[in-house]
Amino acid sequence: MTERYYPAFLNLRGRRCVVVGGGAVGERKTAQLLAAGAVVTVVSPAVTPVVGAWAAEGRVAWRERPYASGDLAGAFAAVAGTDDAQANKAVRDEAEREGVLLNVVDDAPLSDFIAPAVVERGAVTIAVSTGGASPALARKLREALERWPALAWADAAEMLAQARAEARADGANPPPDAWQEAMSDDVLALVQAGKPDEAKALLVEALRSAAQGLGR
C-alpha cells in the first residue's frame, strides 16, 4: 500500500543539513538545499566539479571521505544519495538515533520524507507527489502543471502581497470569495503588460468596494 505523507514545506534557512554522496544526485540535492538557505555539509570521497567549486568557495563544507557514524550529529535534515545500500542503511540508523529527518534517494521505505516533483515560478512553488508509487506520474503531472494557464498568476505574487498589506492597512478584510472575484483577467493583463502598480490599484479598489459592501 502506498504511504500517505503529510505535505509540508520546510524552512531550512540557517539549519545544518548533510548530503551523503557527491555525485550527480548529491549535486542536485545540495543545490536545492543551498537554494533554501541551508548550511550544507557534503560527505563523500569524491564530488562533482560543481560541488568541488562550492567547497572551494566556502558555500559548502566537504568531508572528503566515506560516510562515518557521527556525521549527522547536530543536523536538522539529511539526504543519502549514494549507490551503496549498506551505507544508506547506516545513515538511516544514525538518523533514527539522532532524530534527523532523512531522505534516502529512490528508497521511500528508508525515508522520513520524499522529494516531490516541483514546479517553480517566481514566489510560487507547486509540489507533486505520488507517495513514491510512481515518480514517472509525478513528472508527468509536473510537466502538465508547467503549461497550466492559471500559473500565470504566479507572476502577480509580489503585487498581490502588496495589495493585501494595503487592504489590511485600510481596515479592509474581504473574505476569500471577494479576493477571487477581485483577481480579474484585467488585473492579470496589467501585470503581464508590466504595469504592476496599475494592477494593484485596480485590485485594491475592488477589494475596498467588497469590504464596503460587507460593511467592513
Side-chain angles (χ1 to χ4, degrees):
M1 184 178 68
T2 302
E3 288 286 350
R4 296 287 296 181
Y5 287 85
Y6 179 78
F9 287 88
L10 299 177
N11 181 358
L12 298 181
R13 184 161 301 281
R15 293 184 181 272
R16 181 169 180 267
C17 296
V18 178
V19 176
V20 180
V25 171
E27 177 186 317
R28 185 173 72 252
K29 299 300 182 180
T30 299
Q32 293 168 341
L33 291 170
L34 288 174
V39 178
V40 183
T41 297
V42 177
V43 181
S44 181
V47 296
T48 67
V50 172
V51 175
W54 289 336
E57 295 166 0
R59 295 184 62 192
V60 303
W62 175 22
R63 294 180 180 174
E64 196 175 348
R65 56 166 174 73
Y67 161 80
S69 181
D71 280 336
L72 302 191
F76 176 80
V79 176
T82 77
D83 55 5
D84 184 333
Q86 185 174 355
N88 289 343
K89 179 60 167 60
V91 176
R92 168 74 268 168
D93 292 341
E94 182 179 359
E96 289 184 349
R97 293 194 306 270
E98 297 291 332
V100 177
L101 292 173
L102 178 67
N103 169 242
V104 180
V105 179
D106 293 332
D107 196 338
L110 285 184
S111 302
D112 296 307
F113 68 97
I114 56 178
V118 171
V119 177
E120 291 182 313
R121 183 160 169 175
V124 174
T125 300
I126 301 174
V128 180
S129 173
T130 62
S134 176
L137 174 58
R139 287 194 298 271
K140 185 75 172 178
L141 293 172
R142 181 202 67 201
E143 291 169 359
L145 285 170
E146 288 173 340
R147 300 187 297 272
W148 186 31
L151 195 58
W153 275 102
D155 299 333
E158 183 176 350
M159 180 277 293
L160 289 168
Q162 294 172 356
R164 182 167 179 251
E166 288 190 17
R168 285 186 168 184
D170 192 46
N173 187 27
D177 287 349
W179 269 96
Q180 295 299 313
E181 186 173 348
M183 292 168 60
S184 66
D185 291 341
D186 290 340
V187 171
L188 180 59
L190 286 170
V191 172
Q192 293 180 319
K195 300 177 180 178
D197 290 340
E198 293 181 31
K200 182 175 66 174
L202 182 60
L203 179 67
V204 170
E205 181 57 34
L207 292 172
R208 286 173 178 162
S209 297
Q212 290 169 358
L214 292 170
R216 295 201 175 193

